[in-house]
Amino acid sequence: QVQLVESGGGLVQPGGSLRLSCAASGNIFSINAMGWYRQAPGKQRELVADSASDARTNYAESVKGRFTIARDNAKMTVYLQMNSLKPEDTAVYYCNVHILRWGDPKTEYTYWGQGTQVTVSS
C-alpha cells in the first residue's frame, strides 16, 4: 500500500507564511506528478499547484507569485511554500500524488493525503 502524510497547516495572520509537506511511503516504484489541491467550505476542490516528473510546475492564477511548489524525489516529498497569505486562502489543503507501484509499473495510481487545515485570519 501507499501512504501520504501531510503536515504544516495551521492558523496564520494575513500576510504570513506557512509551509506544507506531504511525504509518500510504501509500495512505490516511481512518482510522476505531485501536487496540492484545496477545498474551502461550500466550494469545489481546486488545483493549487502541481509539479510534473520533469519538474515543470503549474499554478492557479490566484496563487501565482505567492506560492511555490517543490519536490524532493529522494525523500518522496512534495512541499508547498505559501507566502503573503490571504483570508481567501483559507481551506483544507490536500496533496495529490500519481504513483507507479512495484509489480505493476505500467499502471498509474492516484493517491490523496488526509488534508491539512490552513486558516488565514487576524
Side-chain angles (χ1 to χ4, degrees):
Q1 267 295 359
V2 173
Q3 297 81 38
L4 299 179
V5 177
E6 297 183 25
S7 61
L11 172 64
V12 64
Q13 292 186 343
S17 298
L18 283 174
R19 187 192 193 211
L20 306 183
S21 300
C22 174
S25 63
N27 181 20
I28 299 172
F29 175 73
S30 68
I31 301 179
N32 292 337
M34 306 180 83
W36 290 92
Y37 287 71
R38 67 186 180 187
Q39 187 166 18
K43 295 188 176 181
Q44 288 191 333
R45 191 173 297 190
E46 63 175 1
L47 174 70
V48 177
D50 62 17
S51 172
S53 57
D54 61 3
R56 286 178 297 131
T57 57
N58 177 48
Y59 294 90
E61 286 294 327
S62 60
V63 307
K64 281 183 179 178
R66 299 187 299 121
F67 291 11
T68 302
I69 189 170
R71 58 192 285 171
D72 184 330
N73 291 326
K75 294 182 178 180
M76 296 191 292
T77 299
V78 61
Y79 305 95
L80 185 68
Q81 177 67 42
M82 304 185 293
N83 299 327
S84 302
L85 282 159
K86 304 175 181 181
E88 50 264 43
D89 295 317
T90 295
V92 177
Y93 284 70
Y94 299 90
C95 69
N96 172 266
V97 180
H98 298 259
I99 288 171
L100 303 181
R101 305 194 305 206
W102 288 103
D104 188 13
K106 294 184 180 180
T107 303
E108 186 176 85
Y109 294 86
T110 299
Y111 292 89
W112 291 90
Q114 79 277 12
T116 185
Q117 177 70 47
V118 172
T119 302
V120 184
S121 175
S122 55

